[in-house]
Amino acid sequence: MSSSRDIRDLWTSFFEARGHKRIPSSSLIPVGDPTLLFTTAGMVQLKPWFMGLAEPPARRLISIQKVLRTSDIEAVGNERNQTFFEMLGNFSVGDYFKDEVIPWAWELATTPWPNGLGLEPERVWATIYLDDEESFDLWRKVGIPAERIVRFGEKENYWFAGPVGPCGPNTEINYDFGEGFGCRRPDCGPNCENPKPDGSGECDRFLEFWNLVFMTLYQAEDGSRTPLPQRNVDTGAGFERWATLRLWLEGVDWRGKPKDWRALGVRPTNYDTDLFGPLLDTIGGIVGKSYEEASPQEQRAMRIIADHSRAATFLIAEGLTPSNEGRGYVLRRLIRRATTYGQRLKQGEQYLARTAATIVDIMSHAYEQLEQQREFVLKVLRGEEARFFETLGSGRAQIADFLRARPDRKLTGRELFYLWDTHGFPPELTLELLAEEGAGVSDMDEFERELEAQRERSRSASRFEGEAERIQAYATLGLEPTTFLGYDTLTATAAVRGLVTEGRVATALEATETHGARVEVVLDRTPFYAEGGGQVGDKGDLVWDGGRFVVEDTQAVGEGGVIAHVGRLVEGRLAAGMQVEARVDPELRADTMRNHTATHILHAALRQTLGSHVRQAGSYVGPDRLRFDFTHLEALTPEQIAEVEALANRVVRQNIEVHVSMEPYEEAIAGGALAFFGEKYAETVRVVGICEPEADRCFSKELCGGTHCHASGEVGVIIIVHETSIGAGMRRIEAVTGRAAVERIRRNEDALAGVAALLRAQPGEIGARIQALQEEVEALRRKVQALERAAARDEAEELIARARNVDGVSVLAARVTASSTDYLRELGDGLKAKLGSAVILLGADIGGRPAFVAMSTPDVASRVPAGDVVRAASQASGGGGGGRPELAQGGGTDVSKLDEALAAGAKLAEQKLMT
């Protein structure tokens, strides 16, 4: 029996034998591509090569790429849709084209196993773009008859790398499972959307298993298309689909047991393969029922857990953690959807850490970072799933709160959306809980409108506006990579190779005409460091006889090695071909170098103190400070922060050499250098090590293209300023070094001296003096509380006479003078003890804002919940509130409406008592 591993080996060996170089899967989080939220195809990392902006490592390439698509998360659960999957790809960057790749595809698809996929030639169909006669002729030549070559328009047979980027027509290869499948109509063919006879879904007779794209054009933001520098081939074959085809052809299940799919009248799905089988077994073990024994609804829930577990496991292993925005929000949504369906199968069980462990076991042979990050992945999933259990409880309480205000027992569509968008409470679960309470939703269309509005906001926020025009301008210039000199010098004479302003190419500019507009200057060589790896771009100036250009930032253009000096032309005329002197600001560069070296030191110190799971997840290295984001599940204790800072400064004092070398990537990793997921590395990499030559060991060793000190002692001192959370499983440290650290110490000394003067104490006596003052304040607070309690008793006597009797219940709404809500509660307790059956609403102006406390005695609370009363009063004064049926509090924004608010609360109480 063949396995998914065998298919990986088949793909690799077939194309390596035809001169292809294998490139590793890029991160699921695209690097330097703001047009994409996640990597959605194998060609994402090839875009700069296809566009001619960078030189590829070879002209013929292959990969097995991790892919994540989130456009139809709601559909995941059926047997077709997935979020995470793998894509087999072979690529030509200006090398071969249709006449070679189509025969190869036919050969690999139809050659008997194990030298090919083993498909029956008579069951293979092809689709082509409308006017692609060349592909038609090539398919005919390999043996597909004309009636099995189908033409489609742009919707089906034209491929785009996003709204902006390379594109071109494609041809897709399909497998025909036979007339007994799908819609069973005589005109059935690839891309058929007719329903099945039993109404169980769309036609599934044909399976598209390989897409060959011929990328020849670049699509700009306005939809226009221009030729790319060379013709390219980009193919994508669904790895999971290939695995299903092997099950079909061999007539076995994923365990190797015989299973005659044809006789059963079903075709295998991705969930039947060995990529999912062990995972579904794990879920079945938790539920106490195998996937085969489960009902269709239970099987759907199992598929959702399996798919979302895979996606979440890979995302967390690459450093992403759940959050409420961006990619982290997508991860959180996947986890919560999986958890919700898990609770439908068996309440109280946590699934995701156990399913993730199985995923690591299945997939780590292909992706070793899964095993490396196993414990971190499991901790993140356990914590997030546990937190969502708490959300389930709070969500139920919020639903009950909404229903109390709805006599018809129906939430509005907007409230349903609020629970999902704000609290992360899935709408499916909300509807289920409402059904249990005999309730529902009054307007699902309103929910859909709110959801669509959110999607539109998300789409708008992710659009790649403005940048495409700029990149296209650089593409037309056809510039050679800029030679970077900044590791060795801060000044250099260079020639101007290109000028770009407002997205347009210019040949010459006058200071009097640019009026301070943003201008980008490209030189043939430069000492300016372009922003990258967290380090900001250099600042400085370009000068020439009679002219000056202020460089406010330095940026890389795409990934082709072109460096743009961004700033303002303040004097003279600047034209392509001129010679200029490029001068980096030396003080800012020195400050930045200190902070970059300190970042490496802090990273190593964190790993030594907290554990090897700590990994960089983002950074800022500027002249003013450094910021370092890292993976860790808990806040650092003061003792841990002190330990990290002490270890880092010990390395600074040791003045260890900062050693820089260029090494092959594989050798650098084997030698212990750290690389970071989300970064893209060349075959030869720059290794920065803080190493002790005599001891033959390194405190820190990382792949890094940034600028650094020559020795750790040049950092001066490292002071950790903040340590905070930036999301579940993500921490952030901010620190200062060098000049900024000295300035901070001086400010703190001055502040300390000022506090000492105010306290009339020596600096060393400040702690004791503050403690004495705190004890004095606490004594005064207790005295004030005693006075307030006595005053409350006296005031209660006066207020009792103002209570109204409504159907045997005392209703009292009164404005009082109070310094805190504690006093309002004290007063309310006194009134409640003397009034018997009562509803009490007290309001006061506290700090210029209305504050309310409502109480209902136990015998009245079910008829008149205190939360309803306080909410009516708070809303009347521009605020809100809530609480338990017997005690609630709230507040408003308009103190001038305090009396009006008290009247509104009293009116609601009286109405409820009289109904």
Side-chain angles (χ1 to χ4, degrees):
M1 172 201 167
S2 58
S3 68
S4 57
R5 290 195 188 193
D6 296 326
I7 294 173
R8 292 183 197 275
D9 293 341
L10 169 66
W11 181 265
T12 302
S13 61
F14 182 89
F15 283 105
E16 284 183 341
R18 287 153 183 81
H20 289 66
K21 176 182 177 60
R22 180 167 183 178
I23 54 176
S25 171
S26 60
S27 169
L28 286 170
I29 301 170
V31 179
D33 191 343
T35 68
L36 294 173
L37 192 64
F38 295 105
T39 297
T40 56
M43 61 77 59
V44 168
Q45 63 175 311
L46 281 77
K47 283 170 71 173
W49 302 333
F50 285 163
M51 294 168 62
L53 296 176
E55 187 68 22
R59 293 291 169 180
R60 297 184 176 192
L61 303 165
I62 56 166
S63 71
I64 302 177
Q65 174 65 50
K66 298 169 291 185
V67 172
L68 191 72
R69 296 181 183 174
T70 59
S71 56
D72 52 4
I73 288 177
E74 295 87 353
V76 171
N78 62 27
E79 294 182 335
R80 285 189 174 190
N81 294 79
Q82 287 174 232
T83 52
F84 173 87
F85 55 97
E86 295 177 87
M87 191 67 77
L88 307 168
N90 67 284
F91 313 98
S92 164
V93 185
D95 187 30
Y96 58 79
F97 205 54
K98 298 178 185 179
D99 55 347
E100 287 186 78
V101 74
I102 287 177
W104 283 343
W106 175 260
E107 179 184 354
L108 181 54
T110 60
T111 297
W113 185 267
N115 298 314
L117 186 56
L119 302 180
E120 311 96 310
E122 66 273 11
R123 288 186 176 271
V124 178
W125 291 55
T127 66
I128 61 173
Y129 188 57
L130 287 172
D131 60 358
D132 190 353
E133 297 302 330
E134 185 180 0
S135 292
F136 179 85
D137 292 340
L138 287 166
W139 284 124
R140 290 284 292 112
K141 187 175 180 180
V142 299
I144 300 182
E147 61 270 20
R148 295 213 310 268
I149 305 171
V150 190
R151 299 176 188 266
F152 287 98
E154 196 166 278
K155 178 184 175 184
E156 291 85 5
N157 278 92
Y158 209 94
W159 205 88
F160 301 88
V164 173
C167 62
N170 67 285
T171 179
E172 295 180 344
I173 318 175
N174 295 259
Y175 181 79
D176 180 7
F177 285 93
E179 295 177 356
F181 288 85
C183 66
R184 304 190 183 184
R185 298 186 183 185
D187 60 344
C188 183
N191 297 323
C192 178
E193 296 180 353
N194 291 320
K196 296 180 184 178
D198 62 1
S200 61
E202 287 185 1
C203 178
D204 61 358
R205 172 176 166 177
F206 290 86
L207 177 68
E208 182 262 300
F209 65 91
W210 202 346
N211 182 12
L212 316 178
V213 183
F214 309 117
M215 291 205 160
T216 57
L217 300 174
Y218 176 90
Q219 176 162 292
E221 263 186 306
D222 61 3
S224 62
R225 297 171 191 170
T226 54
L228 290 170
Q230 69 271 313
R231 299 189 306 175
N232 309 294
V233 171
D234 155 35
T235 89
F239 177 52
E240 292 83 359
R241 294 187 180 189
W242 280 44
T244 67
L245 289 171
R246 285 305 309 160
L247 292 179
W248 167 269
L249 294 167
E250 294 183 40
V252 295
D253 66 13
W254 70 270
R255 296 180 180 87
K257 295 180 180 178
K259 186 168 186 177
D260 192 338
W261 300 94
R262 300 172 195 262
L264 291 169
V266 296
R267 46 172 275 194
T269 72
N270 296 352
Y271 294 96
D272 293 306
T273 67
D274 62 350
L275 296 164
F276 280 97
L279 189 50
L280 292 171
D281 276 358
T282 297
I283 297 167
I286 297 171
V287 175
K289 182 185 296 184
S290 73
Y291 180 73
E292 291 76 15
E293 297 168 338
S295 68
Q297 293 81 7
E298 290 170 330
Q299 288 183 340
R300 179 172 183 267
M302 289 178 167
R303 290 193 295 266
I304 289 171
I305 297 168
D307 172 85
H308 291 2
S309 297
R310 290 214 314 167
T313 297
F314 272 88
L315 287 172
I316 296 168
E318 293 197 359
L320 191 65
T321 53
S323 69
N324 287 328
E325 59 184 22
R327 297 180 176 108
Y329 178 74
V330 174
L331 172 58
R332 173 161 285 167
R333 183 181 173 195
L334 290 168
I335 292 171
R336 292 190 168 189
R337 189 166 188 260
T339 301
T340 298
Y341 279 90
Q343 295 314 293
R344 292 185 178 187
L345 293 172
K346 190 173 183 180
Q347 281 196 334
E349 291 287 349
Q350 283 192 262
Y351 292 79
L352 301 188
R354 283 183 271 186
T355 53
T358 302
I359 292 161
V360 173
D361 293 339
I362 296 171
M363 304 290 284
S364 59
H365 71 93
Y367 303 102
E368 61 182 17
Q369 74 265 33
L370 291 177
E371 184 60 50
Q372 294 166 357
Q373 298 301 318
R374 177 192 288 265
E375 290 307 314
F376 180 71
V377 170
L378 302 189
K379 285 181 180 178
V380 171
L381 287 172
R382 286 192 196 102
E384 184 68 14
E385 199 165 11
R387 277 188 291 274
F388 188 50
F389 279 177
E390 297 173 6
T391 300
L392 291 175
S394 64
R396 288 176 181 270
Q398 182 70 66
I399 291 170
D401 222 20
F402 280 143
L403 288 177
R404 276 196 293 270
R406 297 279 177 270
D408 62 353
R409 305 283 291 164
K410 289 185 182 292
L411 267 63
T412 66
R414 185 172 284 110
E415 288 168 338
L416 180 64
F417 176 76
Y418 169 81
L419 287 165
W420 167 237
D421 189 50
T422 302
H423 296 284
F425 212 67
E428 302 95 338
L429 183 58
T430 302
L431 292 171
E432 183 178 320
L433 294 175
L434 289 171
E436 292 173 3
E437 299 288 333
V441 175
S442 61
D443 189 352
M444 284 300 297
D445 288 341
E446 182 181 50
F447 170 77
E448 293 297 336
R449 288 193 297 272
E450 293 285 339
L451 192 61
E452 182 55 36
Q454 184 203 55
R455 287 171 178 157
E456 180 56 35
R457 289 192 295 272
S458 177
R459 284 192 291 264
S460 298
S462 66
R463 284 178 187 138
F464 185 41
E465 298 177 352
E467 188 68 5
E469 185 180 1
R470 171 177 173 263
I471 290 179
Q472 184 67 4
Y474 276 104
T476 61
L477 281 171
L479 298 170
E480 294 294 321
T482 307
T483 302
F484 178 61
L485 309 171
Y487 294 133
D488 304 311
T489 182
L490 297 182
T491 62
T493 300
V496 176
R497 288 288 179 258
L499 298 169
V500 175
T501 179
E502 297 180 351
R504 296 188 301 274
V505 175
T507 56
L509 296 170
E510 294 278 357
T512 54
E513 297 174 353
T514 59
H515 303 295
R518 170 190 165 112
V519 175
E520 300 179 34
V521 181
V522 178
L523 306 176
D524 62 340
R525 43 193 248 140
T526 183
F528 283 80
Y529 179 83
E531 180 179 338
Q535 180 175 328
V536 301
D538 279 331
K539 297 182 179 182
D541 57 16
L542 311 178
V543 296
W544 60 95
D545 188 18
R548 179 168 173 257
F549 181 88
V550 176
V551 180
E552 298 171 333
D553 192 11
T554 309
Q555 293 285 330
V557 180
E559 298 178 26
V562 175
I563 296 175
H565 306 76
V566 184
R568 295 173 292 110
L569 179 58
V570 296
E571 184 180 353
R573 177 179 183 273
L574 185 60
M578 286 178 51
Q579 294 286 313
V580 299
E581 183 180 359
R583 308 185 305 193
V584 175
D585 185 309
E587 286 197 339
L588 293 179
R589 167 66 84 82
D591 290 337
T592 302
M593 289 166 62
R594 293 186 190 98
N595 283 332
H596 205 154
T597 301
T599 300
H600 285 218
I601 294 172
L602 275 175
H603 187 195
L606 284 164
R607 288 172 64 86
Q608 285 196 25
T609 304
L610 304 178
S612 61
H613 66 278
V614 169
R615 291 181 301 129
Q616 178 179 323
S619 66
Y620 166 86
V621 178
D624 53 336
R625 71 189 191 284
L626 68 90
R627 185 188 71 226
F628 184 78
D629 301 339
F630 61 98
T631 51
H632 188 60
L633 295 176
E634 302 151 345
L636 273 66
T637 65
E639 294 76 16
Q640 287 174 322
I641 293 174
E643 184 179 351
V644 169
E645 188 177 84
L647 176 56
N649 279 300
R650 184 158 66 246
V651 173
V652 171
R653 290 192 299 275
Q654 289 171 345
N655 198 29
I656 302 172
E657 179 187 0
V658 177
H659 181 265
V660 177
S661 62
M662 299 300 296
E663 302 177 20
Y665 175 82
E666 299 296 339
E667 288 184 17
I669 298 302
L674 293 178
F676 305 107
F677 301 113
E679 293 289 339
K680 183 179 288 187
Y681 298 104
E683 288 189 293
T684 302
V685 293
R686 187 169 183 263
V687 182
V688 177
I690 301 172
C691 306
E692 299 178 46
E694 294 180 2
D696 192 29
R697 66 181 181 86
C698 295
F699 179 76
S700 166
K701 193 174 184 182
E702 298 184 11
L703 307 189
C704 181
T707 60
H708 285 270
C709 301
H710 296 95
S712 63
E714 295 176 21
V715 172
V717 65
I718 300 173
I719 299 176
I720 296 176
V721 177
H722 298 295
E723 192 278 333
T724 56
S725 169
I726 57 170
M730 293 290 294
R731 310 296 303 177
R732 171 173 290 172
I733 270 187
E734 294 190 34
V736 291
T737 68
R739 290 192 302 165
V742 172
E743 291 169 3
R744 180 178 178 82
I745 292 170
R746 172 43 50 203
R747 286 196 305 272
N748 288 345
E749 287 290 326
D750 292 345
L752 190 64
V755 171
L758 288 171
L759 295 173
R760 296 186 176 88
Q762 294 298 315
E765 302 169 345
I766 287 176
R769 183 74 182 106
I770 289 175
Q771 184 177 356
L773 286 173
Q774 287 176 330
E775 292 171 355
E776 185 179 340
V777 168
E778 178 60 23
L780 290 172
R781 188 183 68 81
R782 288 195 295 268
K783 185 175 181 180
V784 168
Q785 284 181 333
L787 292 172
E788 283 188 339
R789 280 194 292 269
R793 288 193 296 270
D794 294 341
E795 191 166 4
E797 295 293 337
E798 298 177 9
L799 291 173
I800 287 172
R802 294 165 55 182
R804 294 185 57 196
N805 186 293
V806 180
D807 194 25
V809 177
S810 296
V811 177
L812 173 63
R815 176 174 184 160
V816 299
T817 301
S819 61
S820 68
T821 52
D822 288 341
Y823 176 78
L824 293 179
R825 285 193 295 271
E826 290 272 359
L827 180 57
D829 287 338
L831 290 166
K832 194 165 58 170
K834 296 186 177 185
L835 285 172
S837 295
V839 177
I840 301 162
L841 175 63
L842 302 175
D845 176 352
I846 299 178
R849 298 170 71 90
F852 305 97
V853 167
M855 295 180 176
S856 291
T857 53
D859 59 317
V860 181
S862 60
R863 296 167 61 193
V864 189
D868 291 358
V869 176
V870 86
R871 192 177 297 109
S874 300
Q875 289 175 350
S877 60
R884 303 191 307 275
E886 295 182 26
L887 172 65
Q889 68 183 54
T893 58
D894 189 349
V895 76
S896 69
K897 294 185 177 180
L898 195 146
D899 293 327
E900 180 183 330
L902 290 167
K907 181 179 179 181
L908 176 69
E910 292 174 3
Q911 288 174 343
K912 285 181 174 288
L913 288 169
M914 294 171 67
T915 56

